[in-house]
Amino acid sequence: RSSVKEKARRRVREFDVGDKFSHLPLPKASVLLPLMVREGKLHLLLTVRSMQLRRSPGEVCFPGGKTEAVDKDEIDTALREAKEEVGLQPEEVEVICRLVPGIDKMNHLVTPVVGFIEDTFQATPNPAEVSDVFVVPLEYFVQPVNYKALPYENSSGYLCWMHCFTYHDHEHNMSFKIWGLTAHFAVFLALIIFGKRPTFEVDYDLDNLFSSSENNFMNLYASLYKRKKSNL
């Protein structure tokens, strides 16, 4: 178990971007990618947004949300939100690093924070925000049973392909649809840790994963910035 954790820890740290993108003039948000080792395999904890929420009700996501004035950095935001949403105490998370951010449909700069939690963690979902909590083997995001790519127009107006996974969770006897930025972050984390080619297409140069992920992000940001300027 410790060797699985140690290997993952080592690989993920190589992709740490620190606060490299924190200066970008976009509203900020963070998500926690909670990794755990269960039966010798890495798993990710995910949540389902409450149906009471105005934005994206019922969608699968990682614990997270918008940056608030009390937060020192993106890590603080992710930990505070995880505590509010699923009762995960900050001291129960071994934070590993921050990965290349994404841009959501509201044009927030979303930073993924990777951390290890114990597999004994019992979530206490805040019903106002979270209706369900479940775990998925990380390997599912490179070797899925049920996958499709959906066409969509990104925040810069370009047609792109979005990962969409359907995962059947035997514990809940329910199927969950994981797509959008959540799927994007999960795939990237799985590519980093397993270092193998997925069974579907990805828009990275897999031999230069770190630089191509940064380039993809900067291209997205540049096209968004250009579009913003042309709208002024």
Side-chain angles (χ1 to χ4, degrees):
R1 183 170 143 188
S2 60
S3 67
V4 170
K5 224 174 185 175
E6 190 42 55
K7 191 178 159 202
R9 204 186 270 125
R10 216 171 39 241
R11 290 190 72 97
V12 177
R13 279 205 182 113
E14 290 171 17
F15 284 75
D16 187 10
V17 296
D19 60 1
K20 184 173 180 176
F21 300 101
S22 305
H23 66 283
L24 295 175
L26 289 174
K28 307 284 190 293
S30 284
V31 291
L32 182 67
L33 277 52
L35 276 172
M36 64 173 77
V37 180
R38 203 174 255 193
E39 292 167 357
K41 292 191 169 177
L42 292 166
H43 288 68
L44 266 177
L45 179 135
L46 290 142
T47 69
V48 180
R49 289 172 64 82
S50 162
M51 292 308 286
Q52 301 166 32
L53 292 169
R54 271 204 325 268
R55 200 163 63 79
S56 310
E59 283 189 13
V60 169
C61 61
F62 289 111
K66 286 191 276 199
T67 298
E68 291 182 4
V70 293
D71 303 329
K72 288 199 305 288
D73 57 18
E74 296 93 348
I75 294 170
D76 254 22
T77 303
L79 295 177
R80 177 183 52 73
E81 287 282 347
K83 182 182 174 182
E84 288 172 14
E85 290 179 10
V86 296
L88 179 63
Q89 300 300 321
E91 60 273 14
E92 293 180 290
V93 185
E94 182 206 338
V95 174
I96 309 298
C97 70
R98 287 170 274 192
L99 300 178
V100 173
I103 298 173
D104 71 7
K105 47 186 182 269
M106 309 292 288
N107 290 339
H108 285 91
L109 182 77
V110 184
T111 300
V113 175
V114 183
F116 270 108
I117 65 171
E118 289 300 323
D119 68 326
T120 51
F121 168 66
Q122 293 289 318
T124 48
N126 170 355
E129 297 193 47
V130 171
S131 63
D132 260 309
V133 178
F134 65 104
V135 297
V136 181
L138 184 63
E139 209 156 3
Y140 197 82
F141 296 106
V142 281
Q143 292 183 312
V145 174
N146 192 330
Y147 171 87
K148 57 176 184 267
L150 303 175
Y152 81 108
E153 193 181 293
N154 72 12
S155 50
S156 314
Y158 289 105
L159 187 71
C160 298
W161 292 93
M162 184 193 296
H163 303 303
C164 180
F165 300 86
T166 303
Y167 176 71
H168 186 74
D169 180 53
H170 295 289
E171 212 175 304
H172 289 74
N173 198 23
M174 272 169 81
S175 288
F176 297 101
K177 185 176 151 190
I178 307 160
W179 60 294
L181 203 52
T182 302
H184 168 82
F185 288 149
V187 167
F188 187 53
L189 184 61
L191 291 175
I192 290 172
I193 290 176
F194 298 119
K196 63 181 173 191
R197 200 162 284 279
T199 56
F200 50 89
E201 291 296 310
V202 287
D203 55 357
Y204 297 115
D205 170 0
L206 294 174
D207 297 320
N208 300 287
L209 188 55
F210 189 64
S211 56
S212 83
S213 65
E214 288 199 330
N215 291 341
N216 286 3
F217 170 72
M218 287 315 294
N219 290 339
L220 176 65
Y221 175 71
S223 55
L224 172 70
Y225 188 71
K226 214 159 64 192
R227 197 179 189 196
K228 270 186 165 174
K229 275 177 85 168
S230 67
N231 287 345
L232 291 175

